[in-house]
Amino acid sequence: RDLTPCLDRVGARVVWHGTPLLDFISPTGESWDLAVIARFPTAAAFVELVTGTCYQAVSRHRRAALLDSRLIVTQARGVF
C-alpha cells in the first residue's frame, strides 16, 4: 500500500494481485506467496520508479519482509 503514491508519480497502477494457488512450472522447492502485476506507461516510467527516492524509501520494507522477490519487465503482445 505504501507503494501506491510512488506508482502514481510515474503514472503506473496495480492491475492485479493475488495468491498463487499452484506452482505448475517452477523450480523444485520454489513457491510464491503473492504475485502483483502493475502496468506502467513506458519502460522509462518503471526505471524512474525503481531509481526514485519514493521507491527506495518503501522498498526497504519489501527487502526486509521477503526471502526472495522478482521484478520482471515485459511488453504486452495483445489480449487473449
Side-chain angles (χ1 to χ4, degrees):
R1 296 185 196 279
D2 291 334
L3 189 58
T4 302
C6 304
L7 292 169
D8 290 344
R9 287 181 186 186
V10 298
R13 64 185 177 87
V14 172
V15 295
W16 182 88
H17 67 92
T19 303
L21 299 177
L22 175 66
D23 296 326
F24 189 70
I25 300 175
S26 63
T28 302
E30 183 174 295
S31 63
W32 295 61
D33 298 316
L34 178 67
V36 177
I37 298 174
R39 180 169 299 218
F40 289 79
T42 63
F46 173 79
V47 172
E48 182 181 344
L49 172 81
V50 298
T51 59
T53 56
C54 182
Y55 180 80
Q56 296 300 317
V58 298
S59 67
R60 63 188 160 106
H61 300 295
R62 178 181 55 83
R63 288 190 309 271
L66 300 175
L67 178 63
D68 194 7
S69 65
R70 307 282 191 278
L71 293 176
I72 302 169
V73 178
T74 65
Q75 181 174 346
R77 294 195 177 223
V79 178
F80 297 97

